[in-house]
Amino acid sequence: MHGRVVPTETVTTLQGTLDALLPGIAPLGLTLLCVWLLRKKVSPITIIFGLFIVGTLGYVLGILG
């Protein structure tokens, strides 16, 4: 059997791109958004469910690796 070259895929994620530009900016932005929502008197349970829904939809749509 001759050597076959198996093509490799490079996966690029939003987090990886942001970390290359400014490490930790995505978690910082998410934290500041949650603090801002809490100061606007949004329920913490609503924020948790919102993050869950956004994360699930982002994963299903392929936006959040």
Side-chain angles (χ1 to χ4, degrees), residues 5-6 8 10-12 17 20 23-25 30-31 34 43 45 48 51 55 59-62:
V5 177
V6 178
T8 59
T10 303
V11 177
T12 303
T17 304
I25 194 71
L30 184 61
T31 302
C34 290
S43 167
I45 297 298
I48 291 169
L51 290 173
Y59 178 77
V60 169
L61 296 175

Side-chain angles (χ1 to χ4, degrees), residues 20-42:
L21 298 173
L22 293 169
I25 194 71
L28 176 64
L30 184 61
T31 302
L32 292 176
L33 174 66
C34 290
V35 169
W36 180 76
L37 289 171
L38 287 170
R39 289 186 181 195
K40 293 288 185 180
K41 304 293 186 202
V42 176

